[in-house]
Amino acid sequence: MDAVDRLLLAELQGDARLSFNELSRRVKLSPPAVAERVRRLEAEGVISGYHAHVDLAKAGLAVTALVQIQCYGPRCVLRDPEVAGWPEVLQLHRVTGGACCALLVAVESMADFERLIDRLAGYGQPASSMILSSPVPWRPVVVP
C-alpha cells in the first residue's frame, strides 16, 4: 500500500458513498485509476465491505452490552455457527484470558437481555458489562 491507497481508505471511511469522480478529485488521480485501486483493495481484502453506522438506541436497541463467556470444548459458542447468526449478536470475538470469547450484543429491553443471557448460559458461564455510553463509538482505521 502506498500513500494514495491510504488516502483512498481515509476518504472511503469518511464517506463510503463517494463516487469515483469525487474520489479522483480528492486524491488527484483519474477516475479509472481510482476505480482500479479501489477494486484491488477490495480484491485483496483490505476493504471488506461498505456499511452504514447505525445508532442502536434510535433503531430501537436500547440495551447494549459486552458479554464474555467461559466455555471450552465441544459446546463452545465459537463452535456453534448458529450463534453468529443470532440477531442480537453484533460482534463475536475469540479472546485470551479467562473467557474464550467476547460478544457485543444489542437488544430492545432488559427482559430481552435476560433471555439472551439465559441462552448463552447453555454454552458456559457468561459475564456481562452494560455499555452506558460510547465516547468513541467508531473511528476510522489509520493505516501506517
Side-chain angles (χ1 to χ4, degrees):
M1 288 195 20
D2 62 13
V4 174
D5 289 339
R6 287 189 287 280
L7 186 54
L8 282 170
L9 289 175
E11 292 293 341
L12 286 171
Q13 287 181 93
D15 184 355
R17 298 187 307 167
L18 290 173
S19 68
F20 287 146
N21 285 335
E22 179 60 20
L23 277 172
S24 69
R25 187 186 67 71
R26 292 182 183 195
V27 301
K28 298 174 180 40
L29 284 179
S30 70
V34 165
E36 181 180 330
R37 282 176 175 263
V38 169
R39 285 189 199 100
R40 180 181 46 78
L41 290 168
E42 292 169 344
E44 292 173 353
V46 176
I47 296 175
S48 61
Y50 299 88
H51 313 279
H53 293 280
V54 176
D55 182 308
L56 294 172
K58 290 180 181 175
L61 300 171
V63 178
T64 56
L66 298 170
V67 180
Q68 291 189 329
I69 303 178
Q70 294 181 2
C71 57
Y72 299 99
R75 187 79 175 131
C76 179
V77 167
L78 297 170
R79 291 196 172 119
D80 187 344
E82 288 186 23
V83 175
W86 293 358
E88 305 92 342
V89 176
L90 302 180
Q91 296 178 5
L92 173 59
H93 304 277
R94 183 177 183 191
V95 298
T96 62
C100 75
C101 61
L103 301 88
L104 173 63
V105 301
V107 293
E108 291 181 31
S109 67
M110 287 304 291
D112 292 327
F113 182 69
E114 186 175 357
R115 283 190 287 278
L116 176 61
I117 289 297
D118 289 344
R119 283 170 61 196
L120 289 170
Y123 294 91
Q125 183 177 354
S128 61
S129 297
M130 303 307 295
I131 297 175
L132 302 176
S133 66
S134 299
V136 182
W138 177 85
R139 148 177 318 169
V141 174
V142 178
V143 181

